[in-house]
Amino acid sequence: MTVLIADDEERDRLWLKDLLTKNLPEHVPIQEVCDGQQAVDTAGRLKPDLVFLDIKMPHLSGIKAAEQILQKLPGTGVIILSNFSDEVYVRNLWKIVPADGAFGYVLKNASNEQVVEAARAVLSGDCWIHPGIARVIQRTQNRATSLTSAEYEALICIALGLTDSSIARRLYLTEKAVQSRLKSLYSKLAIPGRGEGQDTEFNQRCRAVFLSYRRGLINQSELEEWEGKLFETKTGGEK
Amino acid sequence: MTVLIADDEERDRLWLKDLLTKNLPEHVPIQEVCDGQQAVDTAGRLKPDLVFLDIKMPHLSGIKAAEQILQKLPGTGVIILSNFSDEVYVRNLWKIVPADGAFGYVLKNASNEQVVEAARAVLSGDCWIHPGIARVIQRTQNRATSLTSAEYEALICIALGLTDSSIARRLYLTEKAVQSRLKSLYSKLAIPGRGEGQDTEFNQRCRAVFLSYRRGLINQSELEEWEGKLFETKTGGEK
DNA sequence: GGTTTTTCTGGGGGAAACCCTAGAGGACGC
DNA sequence: GCGTCCTCTAGGGTTTCCCCCAGAAAAACC
């Protein structure tokens, strides 16, 4: 039995390693790496039973690393470590986790007991989801509040500060289509329009960005990734 | 000689305490508290030589706690611990630190050596600023790029998603005044307007929010505080 | 196959956001 | 005292965003 820890923060690695050696039944060998790509490579070689993946890592995020690892070794137990209950990640998570796989999601402010509990659960084939994030998961599965990928794309674009027409060009849509996406986005985020409410309190566009930041639907690192994608296609050949 | 540590994360407290006991010359008593208010209270009783303050703490932020502590005990050495190089905080910091005071600013991803170095420096009356934020400090002191408080207020409001007229009402200004603030904000953030550039790429309002998040001019917790302030004054007596 | 949901399309209208210019008052340093 | 900078104010114009309506195409569901 082997355990792999992937985290770019040395402090967190030490803490986790220490915790596991003290609390796991037998003396298990624990490997450490400090980015997502190394995690994938090392997992391929070691075929560990359990992998801890920090979400925020250089080169390859924890989610993407998990995707690749689970693709090659579906039986691996994966535990995602996250600082926040970001909805973006939860969103992507369900897509890559096999239905019968064992995995865990723990926030970094979890108590030591919780982490050990999660490790035990995943090792014995169960799932362990941090209590604080159950609500978030619920939301991602509710038809009325969860965003479709069309709405999500639009959200990213306005968060980056693009205009409607600019978005339309980048996503190969008409301006009307963009506005239509935004309209349903606003309604799902429950932002009052011009008609509702006594007088217009909010600029829906900015309000949507604000609320999405707060709910963890978007975050800085996710946005920067998209920024790269959206601008590279255009910087090449433009009149 | 006494040292006080204020941090809401138990893990970080342990790490820091451990680090200090091992590396400070003599056996110094180290007190721990877990929020800003406690830090102020305890500092008043203990009169410590050195105080570590995490920025993000419940009840009272590290900055505000530092302000109160330095007011009562100007000779105290203060070291701010921060996760990010947020410009918001740096902005406020210079206002409260006495010109001849000793203080430090270290990011949480600092190496153990750096933290010890900072502690030693501050204890001997020097300042220690994390290398990574020197650039940020520069920016806050450059006339051309640093924001005035009027521009900053406007920034907060659009980041919260308010409309021009709504901002005007809350800040007791005309709508034109708000737009004037925004105009100079956009130019300081170097966001191209409708005239510049081949075609209008950006919605300036949202773009300003995006860039400000990225530069750490604003952040979630800061915004939520303002949200509270801005809405309480209006929820009372509105037609 | 058919039914639902999602998404894109169109026209037309109103309000908010942004542009330009310009002047007046206040705060600051010197 | 002077100049400088910041800020608010104003009028008048353009563009973008958001609203209503509705219908058609595409995808997903049973």
Side-chain angles (χ1 to χ4, degrees):
Chain A
M1 178 165 122
T2 319
V3 174
L4 177 63
I5 296 176
D7 196 321
D8 56 332
E9 286 286 339
E10 190 194 358
R11 200 173 312 150
D12 287 336
R13 282 204 307 274
L14 285 177
W15 161 72
L16 189 53
K17 185 176 183 179
D18 194 50
L19 190 61
L20 293 179
T21 45
K22 279 182 189 155
N23 287 285
L24 284 191
E26 314 153 44
H27 182 72
V28 295
I30 298 179
Q31 274 290 328
E32 301 177 40
V33 294
C34 53
D35 76 46
Q37 192 52 55
Q38 288 179 34
V40 175
D41 299 343
T42 312
R45 276 208 328 279
L46 256 61
K47 305 199 194 323
D49 303 270
L50 180 60
V51 183
F52 282 89
L53 292 165
D54 184 19
I55 281 213
K56 193 187 67 57
M57 281 190 294
H59 302 310
L60 205 65
S61 79
I63 298 281
K64 295 210 175 118
E67 186 172 8
Q68 294 193 25
I69 292 174
L70 285 172
Q71 206 163 13
K72 291 178 195 158
L73 306 160
T76 315
V78 170
I79 294 183
I80 301 287
L81 291 165
S82 171
N83 290 56
F84 305 103
S85 50
D86 280 357
E87 210 167 314
V88 217
Y89 300 130
V90 178
R91 223 185 127 69
N92 299 325
L93 206 57
W94 294 119
K95 296 183 191 161
I96 63 168
V97 174
D100 58 341
F103 83 107
Y105 195 105
V106 320
L107 299 184
K108 280 208 176 167
N109 63 6
S111 68
N112 290 356
E113 293 72 31
Q114 288 177 314
V115 178
V116 174
E117 197 182 321
R120 290 227 179 86
V122 171
L123 277 176
S124 58
D126 289 332
C127 288
W128 195 95
I129 309 291
H130 197 103
I133 175 180
R135 185 168 20 106
V136 175
I137 291 180
Q138 198 114 65
R139 200 158 49 200
T140 63
Q141 284 171 340
N142 179 340
R143 303 296 235 75
T145 54
S146 86
L147 302 186
T148 67
S149 49
E151 288 149 1
Y152 185 71
E153 273 181 346
L155 171 59
I156 296 286
C157 288
I158 61 169
L160 287 172
L162 300 177
T163 60
D164 287 4
S165 72
S166 170
I167 298 171
R169 253 177 289 137
R170 290 200 161 63
L171 301 182
Y172 307 102
L173 298 168
T174 54
E175 215 167 310
K176 283 289 182 185
V178 175
Q179 294 179 341
S180 157
R181 288 182 173 198
L182 287 177
K183 184 173 174 265
S184 58
L185 172 68
Y186 299 154
S187 90
K188 283 202 181 161
L189 292 177
I191 300 168
R194 304 201 210 219
E196 304 119 273
Q198 12 230 21
D199 44 11
T200 322
E201 205 70 297
F202 298 119
N203 173 316
Q204 298 177 290
R205 190 173 269 249
C206 285
R207 187 65 178 174
V209 174
F210 172 68
L211 291 178
S212 303
Y213 262 111
R214 205 224 292 270
R215 291 197 192 163
L217 275 168
I218 53 178
N219 63 30
Q220 206 55 44
S221 59
E222 204 60 18
L223 283 179
E224 310 224 333
E225 211 170 291
W226 277 88
E227 193 184 22
K229 280 189 220 158
L230 288 173
F231 283 99
E232 78 190 4
T233 58
K234 273 288 164 189
T235 43
E238 182 65 350
K239 185 207 94 183
Chain B
M1 182 165 118
T2 319
V3 174
L4 177 63
I5 295 176
D7 196 321
D8 55 333
E9 285 288 337
E10 188 192 1
R11 200 172 312 150
D12 287 336
R13 282 205 307 272
L14 286 177
W15 160 73
L16 190 54
K17 184 176 184 180
D18 195 49
L19 190 62
L20 292 178
T21 44
K22 278 182 191 155
N23 287 284
L24 284 190
E26 314 154 44
H27 182 73
V28 295
I30 297 179
Q31 273 291 329
E32 301 178 39
V33 294
C34 53
D35 76 46
Q37 192 52 55
Q38 288 178 35
V40 174
D41 298 344
T42 313
R45 276 210 328 278
L46 255 62
K47 307 200 193 317
D49 303 271
L50 180 59
V51 183
F52 282 88
L53 292 166
D54 185 18
I55 280 212
K56 194 187 67 55
M57 282 190 295
H59 302 309
L60 204 63
S61 80
I63 298 282
K64 295 212 178 117
E67 186 173 9
Q68 295 192 25
I69 292 175
L70 285 171
Q71 208 164 11
K72 290 178 196 159
L73 307 160
T76 315
V78 170
I79 294 183
I80 301 287
L81 291 165
S82 171
N83 288 55
F84 305 103
S85 49
D86 281 356
E87 211 167 314
V88 217
Y89 300 131
V90 178
R91 220 185 130 71
N92 298 327
L93 204 58
W94 295 121
K95 297 182 192 160
I96 63 167
V97 173
D100 58 341
F103 83 106
Y105 194 103
V106 320
L107 300 184
K108 280 206 177 170
N109 64 4
S111 68
N112 290 355
E113 293 73 31
Q114 288 178 315
V115 178
V116 174
E117 197 182 321
R120 289 226 179 87
V122 171
L123 277 176
S124 58
D126 290 332
C127 288
W128 195 95
I129 309 292
H130 197 101
I133 76 165
R135 188 167 18 102
V136 174
I137 291 180
Q138 199 116 63
R139 201 159 47 202
T140 62
Q141 283 170 340
N142 180 342
R143 303 296 234 74
T145 53
S146 84
L147 303 186
T148 66
S149 49
E151 286 150 2
Y152 184 71
E153 273 181 346
L155 171 59
I156 295 287
C157 289
I158 63 169
L160 286 173
L162 300 176
T163 60
D164 287 4
S165 72
S166 170
I167 299 172
R169 252 176 290 134
R170 289 199 164 64
L171 301 183
Y172 306 103
L173 299 169
T174 51
E175 214 167 313
K176 285 288 182 184
V178 175
Q179 294 181 339
S180 157
R181 288 181 173 198
L182 288 176
K183 185 173 174 261
S184 59
L185 171 68
Y186 298 153
S187 91
K188 284 203 182 161
L189 293 176
I191 300 168
R194 303 206 220 241
E196 302 119 274
Q198 12 231 18
D199 42 16
T200 322
E201 209 63 303
F202 298 119
N203 174 316
Q204 299 178 291
R205 192 174 267 251
C206 285
R207 186 65 178 173
V209 174
F210 172 68
L211 292 178
S212 303
Y213 262 111
R214 203 221 298 268
R215 293 199 189 161
L217 276 167
I218 52 178
N219 64 29
Q220 207 55 43
S221 57
E222 227 18 52
L223 283 180
E224 311 224 333
E225 210 169 292
W226 278 87
E227 193 183 21
K229 280 190 221 160
L230 288 172
F231 284 98
E232 78 189 5
T233 57
K234 273 287 163 188
T235 42
E238 181 64 348
K239 185 206 96 183

